[in-house]
Amino acid sequence: NRLAWLYPNSQWSIIRKYAATLHSTVIQSFQKKILKTSDGVIPYGGERRPDRFIYPNGSVIWLGGMDKASKVLSSERDGIYVNQAEELDNTDWEFLITRANGRAGNAPFGIVFGDCNPGPPTHWILQRVKRGMVFLRATHKDNPELFDPETGEITPNGEKRLKALQSLTGSSYNRLYKGLWSQPEGA
């Protein structure tokens, strides 16, 4: 959102592996927690299921899924944010790199970045990190909905959400609560 404001006429994308999961997850959070009515950002393609957001400065955030990679084909993006990057495969990621390689030319860089939950220790993300991809580790304490950024104290919402994660077992517990890249049982 800030990058779209910072670079007028810039072209961005928010991507998930499957387009059908985009609106009920990351776009719902984007509209409720990031965009403000006063921003003047207009959703296009329908109120409930927009396919893009247009900013007053001419910047656009396009929405898509890698299940319909043809919608991304031939696009020129200044940047692409991938929600739940662990769902993609390395081929998907490399395809996105070719769409945000600086050729859009509205920002002084091209970037593909994302968030993820840990997967198995053999996951392609960790293999790319070994080859130099920047990896920023975040913990539950970095989430301001779970821990107050001023005091560091857990919030009531954080208590509920972490309690649910603490009840998990095995690999799910290790990945989603502890944040470890671990192999599922029996794999």
Side-chain angles (χ1 to χ4, degrees):
N1 187 44
R2 289 183 181 152
L3 291 171
W5 281 112
L6 189 58
Y7 300 105
N9 301 311
S10 56
Q11 302 292 306
W12 305 88
S13 286
I14 298 175
I15 300 287
R16 274 199 77 159
K17 178 66 174 180
Y18 301 103
T21 63
L22 196 63
H23 288 86
S24 62
T25 57
V26 66
I27 299 307
Q28 182 179 20
S29 297
F30 182 67
Q31 289 181 292
K32 286 183 175 181
K33 298 178 181 180
I34 296 173
L35 290 181
K36 297 176 184 66
T37 321
S38 61
D39 288 342
V41 176
I42 302 169
Y44 274 81
E47 282 282 318
R48 296 190 61 213
R49 297 234 180 242
D51 64 5
R52 64 191 176 276
F53 293 93
I54 300 179
Y55 286 67
N57 69 357
S59 294
V60 180
I61 296 179
W62 299 88
L63 310 177
M66 292 308 293
D67 54 330
K68 295 184 181 181
S70 61
K71 290 185 86 175
V72 180
L73 192 63
S74 297
S75 64
E76 296 180 358
R77 300 289 182 254
D78 294 292
I80 298 171
Y81 160 65
V82 180
N83 179 245
Q84 300 301 141
E86 78 277 7
E87 295 177 346
L88 274 63
D89 59 36
N90 188 56
T91 302
D92 293 331
W93 190 263
E94 290 184 351
F95 182 79
L96 295 175
I97 289 171
T98 68
R99 304 300 96 200
N101 59 7
R103 67 186 193 155
N106 303 300
F109 54 83
I111 185 171
V112 177
F113 61 103
D115 61 34
C116 68
N117 285 311
T122 57
H123 198 283
W124 67 267
I125 290 174
L126 294 181
Q127 301 310 310
R128 288 191 79 91
V129 168
K130 287 179 185 175
R131 294 192 338 256
M133 184 170 83
V134 176
F135 182 82
L136 304 174
R137 181 172 164 74
T139 69
H140 297 298
K141 290 191 176 191
D142 298 313
N143 185 336
E145 289 187 355
L146 304 181
F147 288 85
D148 184 294
E150 300 290 322
T151 65
E153 298 295 318
I154 193 165
T155 65
N157 184 27
E159 286 180 14
K160 286 189 288 191
R161 289 172 57 183
L162 289 181
K163 184 176 181 182
L165 294 177
Q166 288 169 337
S167 74
L168 301 174
T169 60
S171 180
S172 295
Y173 175 82
N174 286 335
R175 290 179 181 182
L176 301 176
Y177 179 68
K178 287 188 162 183
L180 303 174
W181 292 74
S182 66
Q183 193 71 27
E185 301 80 17

